[in-house]
Amino acid sequence: METIINSQIPEFKVQAYHNGNFKTVSSDDVKGKWAIFFFYPADFTFVCPTELVDVAEKYEQFQKMGVEVYSVSTDSHFVHKAWHDASESIRKINYPMLADPTGTLSRAFGVMIEEEGMAYRGTFVVNPEGKIKIAEIHDNNIGRNAEELLRKVEAALFVAEHPNEVCPAKWKKGGSTLKPSIDLVGKI
């Protein structure tokens, strides 16, 4: 199994539903900024809306950090709009909902379930150079936590700005970091 960490995101061009409109989103739109790709199995399901709303409630914080969020499922942009129109919860979403009906993005990120035609719950944080810095994949019965995602993104931003420091377990913004050196070996 190959690792996806530090791999380049693929070139892509997909349709999206965003703020009441259909639009095209491509890999060119992602370049130069931090991004989260938040894959989920399908619209009109059970765990998915709880996760998408959880991320929506943190969206303003992600935006303040310069991070764009893209939710992705194998549904079409038309289905995203229908779900948005039908669900009070999904109307809270202000980030782009990418349509991946051919599964191209889901396959590229390694989350496609071929026999079901849908994706696993995959979360990927991508840096401005288009490299995947965080990858997390869950079985579809296990929901994610946007608070933990926010913490991980803060850590990724911190280490990108401070390449000689690392964030220990449970690190939170403003917390102590470590400067790896031979002097720390065996002392932590």
Side-chain angles (χ1 to χ4, degrees), residues 65-138:
M65 294 187 299
V67 179
E68 184 56 85
V69 175
Y70 300 97
S71 65
V72 187
S73 80
T74 55
D75 296 292
S76 73
H77 54 300
F78 300 112
V79 177
H80 290 334
K81 181 191 182 314
W83 195 26
H84 184 272
D85 292 349
S87 171
E88 187 176 320
S89 294
I90 300 306
R91 281 194 289 277
K92 296 175 184 175
I93 295 173
N94 292 319
Y95 49 81
M97 298 177 76
L98 305 187
D100 186 30
T102 64
T104 302
L105 272 177
S106 299
R107 282 185 196 89
F109 280 84
V111 295
M112 186 67 175
I113 308 168
E114 294 295 340
E115 61 275 8
E116 295 181 27
M118 60 180 62
Y120 283 114
R121 297 185 192 291
T123 309
F124 302 89
V125 177
V126 177
N127 75 4
E129 292 77 42
K131 290 188 176 184
I132 297 171
K133 292 302 190 178
I134 296 172
E136 179 179 54
I137 301 171
H138 289 222

Side-chain angles (χ1 to χ4, degrees), residues 34 127-129 133 154-165:
W34 285 86
N127 75 4
E129 292 77 42
K133 292 302 190 178
E154 287 173 338
L157 292 170
F158 182 88
V159 297
E161 293 173 14
H162 304 90
N164 295 323
E165 296 181 53

